[in-house]
Amino acid sequence: CLALEPTTTLLSPLLEDPVRASVLACNLPAGLATLGNFHYTSAKVGDRMTARVAPHTPLPVVLEAGEHTLPGQLADVSILGLGLMLSPPDAGQLRPNLSVNVSLTLPLELETPLRLAGTVRSVKPEGASQRVGIQFAPQTLPPMIHRYVRERQAEISCELKALYERRLVERR
């Protein structure tokens, strides 16, 4: 959140690469921020190439790996891939570079089931589950993923603004 961090990273199709900037001022109620000290940064934002969003409510997924069909939940999504949560016995069969298909339905106006091809990038323990990172196959990016990420980013922005405004009221 711009009000809490001294720097931010700007991602835009209008920019060649991500741009890092200092947060000079932030007025969340007005929806304004003043940034300075701009400079191009590496292609990564943290360990990610693009921003990811978590679903508002848990979304079921089905991961197909060879003859295995594994149920799980969507942890996050970006325009480049998905983060999934699977039970440890199921995820134990997965290895990096394994080709998989993921089926899910995003909560958009027209809830159309998606079947997305991808590659396992990582399998890591997280709490009682295993977090599985999937990178989409190059030809697999439906416009619905872009739309869902954009809409969730707007929702999250509104949630952060409401939280910030509540905290301002509580301080008075």
Side-chain angles (χ1 to χ4, degrees):
C1 179
L2 290 174
L4 302 175
E5 299 291 330
T7 61
T8 190
T9 303
L10 307 173
L11 302 171
S12 170
L14 301 174
L15 300 169
E16 273 185 46
D17 288 313
V19 171
R20 196 89 174 137
S22 298
V23 178
L24 304 177
C26 183
N27 183 340
L28 285 180
L32 298 173
T34 304
L35 306 175
N37 305 320
F38 296 92
H39 60 277
Y40 281 103
T41 186
S42 71
K44 288 190 172 188
V45 179
D47 288 336
R48 309 261 186 241
M49 292 291 289
T50 59
R52 290 186 174 234
V53 296
H56 184 66
T57 57
L59 295 178
V61 299
V62 175
L63 185 139
E64 298 168 30
E67 297 178 12
H68 302 285
T69 299
L70 313 174
Q73 288 192 329
L74 181 68
D76 56 47
V77 62
S78 78
I79 61 170
L80 297 179
L82 303 168
L84 308 178
M85 300 303 285
L86 302 177
S87 67
D90 294 336
Q93 310 169 45
L94 303 175
R95 301 283 178 262
N97 299 318
L98 178 67
S99 293
V100 296
N101 288 298
V102 178
S103 298
L104 75 153
T105 300
L106 296 173
L108 297 168
E109 294 159 11
L110 302 172
E111 292 190 354
T112 305
L114 298 174
R115 188 166 189 269
L116 306 165
T119 304
V120 174
R121 287 291 163 224
S122 62
V123 180
K124 300 176 184 173
E126 188 170 302
S129 298
Q130 292 283 323
R131 182 181 183 86
V132 179
I134 307 292
Q135 180 179 356
F136 294 137
Q139 71 281 5
T140 303
L141 187 57
M144 292 173 73
I145 294 289
H146 272 282
R147 184 170 157 217
Y148 179 75
V149 169
R150 192 174 54 246
E151 287 181 13
R152 247 334 257 145
Q153 285 176 323
E155 289 172 1
I156 291 168
S157 179
C158 288
E159 291 168 10
L160 286 172
K161 184 176 178 182
L163 178 63
Y164 175 78
E165 289 171 352
R166 273 196 306 267
R167 293 237 171 117
L168 281 178
V169 170
E170 290 171 1
R171 288 183 183 170
R172 292 181 186 162

